[in-house]
Amino acid sequence: MLNLSIVIVNFRSWSKLEGCLLSIYQQKQKVKKVVIVDNLSDDGVIEDFVKKFPWVEWVKNDSNAGFAAGCNLGVQNCSSKWFLFLNPDTRLPTDCLATLIPYCDQHPDFHLVTIKQLSESGKNTHPYGVFPNVWDSAGLVRSIHRLIFQPDQTKKAMTASPIAFPHWISGSFILLRKEHFDLLGGWDDQFWMYCEDIDLSKRAEEKGLIRVLLNQWECLHSHGVSSRANKKIKVLTKAEVVKSTHIYIEKHFIGKNKKWAHQWLRFHKSIELTVIGFIDPSKKEILKILNPFWHELFS
């Protein structure tokens, strides 16, 4: 048995979660514990899943407290050497954990680990990125900046060798030792959704912990299932991306950089959502959510 606990936070992702759990059950080596934290799906499905997967430890959250809070709740009763935080819309090859965990055991200098993630069509989804700076909250600026000033962090560079070292790794698959999770103080639950993985990686960097991408291992990841369940949830989660970015800026930026990063994010998002809103009404709904948030932030 692998000295590993797997924690999955779920919100109405039942069809994908079933595939994920079956892939865990079919692993060549069993793991110590699998914990599912259900963030108040409140759709009457969880009871059937509890019966179908009795080997899973089910935690019913009394609110949708977000991904980070769900992860922290999930590990409360876990004492294994390794923690794996996994999205419900992932599926693992049968030999994934049986080979990955021993390999990582042999590399104590690998602290936060992720693997290659493929879409349903087999496309690399690149579950990593560079730490934000003042201006790169705009996607085009981020791409240009990375290409010119951080060529070792481009997608081409990250996939060129079996082992790469990105700035941050996606919360869809993060493997780390319990001792390092405790050192970091867990996930920061002021992030409801998005940027919590960037924040975890940033705090890891500050503690001297290395983030690692292992391209020799891979899993399937159907990105964004929970956040795209319906139009209302999609609007809320798109707004949360912006809110969480502001929270990250407030936490990790200082002085004039903090001020300019906040202002630039509000400026280009306001323009983008207003212009595209003439074509896509959902953008106007996102703007309605953000305007009160911005008013409070900048007042």
Side-chain angles (χ1 to χ4, degrees):
M1 179 176 288
L2 298 171
N3 195 359
L4 168 70
S5 296
I6 300 176
V7 175
I8 301 171
V9 178
N10 174 67
F11 178 76
R12 300 180 184 177
S13 297
W14 299 112
S15 61
K16 294 298 181 181
L17 177 61
E18 182 170 11
C20 179
L21 290 176
L22 288 173
S23 78
I24 293 172
Y25 186 76
Q26 293 165 359
Q27 291 297 296
K28 290 183 177 179
Q29 280 190 264
K30 302 303 180 184
V31 304
K32 191 172 182 179
K33 182 180 288 192
V34 178
V35 181
I36 308 293
V37 178
D38 184 67
N39 265 343
L40 196 65
S41 290
D42 197 28
D43 54 5
V45 178
I46 189 171
E47 287 75 16
D48 292 335
F49 269 68
V50 171
K51 293 176 183 177
K52 189 169 186 177
F53 300 98
W55 48 274
V56 171
E57 182 176 309
W58 294 89
V59 179
K60 299 178 183 179
N61 210 342
D62 57 6
S63 66
N64 188 351
F67 176 78
C71 287
N72 288 335
L73 180 61
V75 299
Q76 283 185 359
N77 296 317
C78 296
S79 58
S80 56
K81 177 181 179 180
W82 289 97
F83 291 165
L84 173 58
F85 297 98
L86 197 62
N87 273 14
D89 52 4
T90 55
R91 296 204 301 272
L92 307 177
T94 56
D95 63 344
C96 180
L97 300 178
T99 53
L100 177 62
I101 300 303
Y103 180 81
C104 291
D105 277 331
Q106 295 171 6
H107 291 81
D109 55 329
F110 291 177
H111 301 132
L112 276 68
V113 179
T114 195
I115 62 176
K116 183 190 294 184
Q117 296 176 32
L118 304 177
S119 68
E120 295 280 357
S121 62
K123 183 179 178 181
N124 192 333
T125 62
H126 305 287
Y128 46 80
V130 297
F131 289 133
N133 62 39
V134 173
W135 306 109
D136 72 356
S137 56
L140 179 60
V141 175
R142 181 167 58 250
S143 297
I144 294 173
H145 184 273
R146 181 166 48 189
L147 183 63
I148 296 174
F149 298 105
Q150 298 168 315
D152 63 316
Q153 294 292 313
T154 62
K155 293 176 180 179
K156 182 178 181 180
M158 287 288 111
T159 57
S161 61
I163 303 173
F165 301 94
H167 287 189
W168 61 265
I169 59 177
S170 169
S172 52
F173 186 115
I174 292 185
L175 174 70
L176 77 167
R177 296 168 182 84
K178 181 182 185 299
E179 64 176 296
H180 296 134
F181 181 82
D182 292 341
L183 176 66
L184 293 170
W187 298 82
D188 185 344
D189 60 13
Q190 70 174 315
F191 296 94
W192 183 71
M193 182 181 287
Y194 302 111
C195 292
E196 67 283 303
D197 43 12
I198 307 176
D199 169 73
L200 186 75
S201 295
K202 184 64 176 178
R203 289 186 284 120
E205 182 195 48
E206 292 168 354
K207 296 286 187 180
L209 302 181
I210 306 300
R211 289 79 58 213
V212 182
L213 166 67
L214 300 178
N215 284 308
Q216 291 175 298
W217 284 266
E218 62 185 40
C219 69
L220 189 72
H221 181 207
S222 303
H223 182 72
V225 172
S226 296
S227 62
R228 299 171 187 169
N230 56 52
K231 181 181 177 181
K232 181 180 178 180
I233 292 175
K234 185 177 180 180
V235 166
L236 288 172
T237 54
K238 290 292 185 182
E240 197 61 31
V241 174
V242 181
K243 289 183 180 182
S244 293
T245 305
H246 279 295
I247 293 171
Y248 182 91
I249 291 168
E250 188 65 24
K251 181 175 180 179
H252 292 288
F253 286 50
I254 59 174
K256 291 182 178 180
N257 282 345
K258 178 188 295 188
K259 175 184 176 181
W260 283 111
H262 278 311
Q263 295 284 8
W264 168 242
L265 177 57
R266 180 176 66 167
F267 173 76
H268 77 76
K269 279 298 175 183
S270 296
I271 298 298
E272 173 190 321
L273 293 170
T274 299
V275 172
I276 302 179
F278 289 107
I279 303 171
D280 182 356
S282 69
K283 303 302 182 183
K284 292 182 180 180
E285 295 300 314
I286 297 171
L287 198 56
K288 286 181 182 179
I289 296 173
L290 290 175
N291 279 331
F293 173 83
W294 280 330
H295 178 74
E296 182 178 351
L297 179 65
F298 291 100
S299 61

